[in-house]
Amino acid sequence: MMKTHIILLTAFVCIALFQSCNSETNSQKDPENQDVEKMSTQSLVERGEYLVLLSGCDHCHTPKKMTDQGPVPDMDRWLMGYPSGDPLPEITKEALGPGKWVLFNGDLTAAVGPWGVSFSANLTPSESGIGNWSYENFKKSMTEGKHKGMEGTRMVLPPMPWQSLGIIKEDDLKAIYEYLKTINPIENVVPPPIPPDGI
């Protein structure tokens, strides 16, 4: 009986010591674990870049350069949105309206339709872009269509397909956000939309 008590006591002490040591090891940041965390963040960023390219975000959010192959994204202005200093081309009002045309400017960063004129947003981590946005702001904007991801603001305008993004997986949305936070910040204050009666 005494021998059984000693064995049980020894086992209990060993388990307690093991848990204590294991807890201390987990609470300390060793370089190997930090490398794993960095790799995880890097993988997230790479996934985000892949999703941004696959989704064609640059088609509307990057000004273009005209080449002999047609318009291509201007990589010096990657995802900066509609260039704030650019004038809009002349708009033929008669072509607009329900059942008529939706038009784009030459580099696809501005669109005009029954909603008026909308300008593609600056997605760079500049303060004039999404630099001050939390992930929750980004999520609300992308999946609920709230301008700048804030309550009480206007809706995001066409042609931004935020309705389709409502089904995006959380991990994919986080990956896109993390990628956008790593790109070159470009100062570019995109103009506000023009209502239909202002065209």
Side-chain angles (χ1 to χ4, degrees):
M1 183 78 169
M2 181 73 166
K3 192 173 181 181
T4 305
H5 283 294
I6 291 171
I7 291 171
L8 288 173
L9 182 60
T10 304
F12 177 78
V13 170
C14 287
I15 290 169
L17 283 171
F18 175 78
Q19 286 179 335
S20 174
C21 291
N22 194 32
S23 174
E24 285 177 17
T25 303
N26 287 339
S27 67
Q28 295 172 354
K29 291 281 189 183
D30 65 320
E32 189 172 327
N33 284 342
Q34 288 177 350
D35 287 344
V36 169
E37 288 174 10
K38 284 180 186 172
M39 280 177 42
S40 175
T41 301
Q42 183 61 30
S43 296
L44 201 62
V45 168
E46 287 171 4
R47 172 80 178 157
E49 181 179 21
Y50 164 75
L51 290 168
V52 163
L53 293 171
L54 179 68
S55 303
C57 300
D58 59 314
H59 293 182
C60 292
H61 290 274
T62 301
K64 313 297 180 297
K65 288 198 260 190
M66 191 56 71
T67 71
D68 55 0
Q69 300 296 313
V72 298
D74 182 348
M75 299 308 290
D76 291 332
R77 302 190 290 171
W78 182 246
L79 299 177
M80 69 171 251
Y82 177 83
S84 60
D86 283 9
L88 281 173
E90 183 181 350
I91 298 170
T92 306
K93 294 182 187 178
E94 294 76 26
L96 303 175
K100 296 183 180 180
W101 288 99
V102 170
L103 307 172
F104 285 88
N105 70 333
D107 67 3
L108 309 179
T109 58
V112 60
W115 62 87
V117 181
S118 52
F119 301 94
S120 61
N122 182 346
L123 300 182
T124 75
S126 156
E127 287 187 8
S128 61
I130 65 166
N132 295 328
W133 290 29
S134 68
Y135 172 69
E136 289 307 315
N137 292 136
F138 186 72
K139 180 178 179 180
K140 187 176 283 291
S141 182
M142 295 298 105
T143 63
E144 297 178 33
K146 298 302 290 181
H147 178 62
K148 296 191 176 184
M150 297 187 297
E151 290 295 340
T153 59
R154 67 170 173 81
M155 295 302 290
V156 172
L157 296 173
M160 178 63 191
W162 66 265
Q163 297 91 337
S164 299
L165 288 170
I167 64 167
I168 194 168
K169 293 178 181 175
E170 187 86 12
D171 288 349
D172 287 341
L173 193 61
K174 283 181 180 173
I176 292 170
Y177 176 77
E178 290 299 330
Y179 166 66
L180 293 176
K181 289 292 190 172
T182 69
I183 66 174
N184 183 39
I186 300 173
E187 183 65 24
N188 178 49
V189 179
V190 172
I194 302 170
D197 59 5
I199 300 173

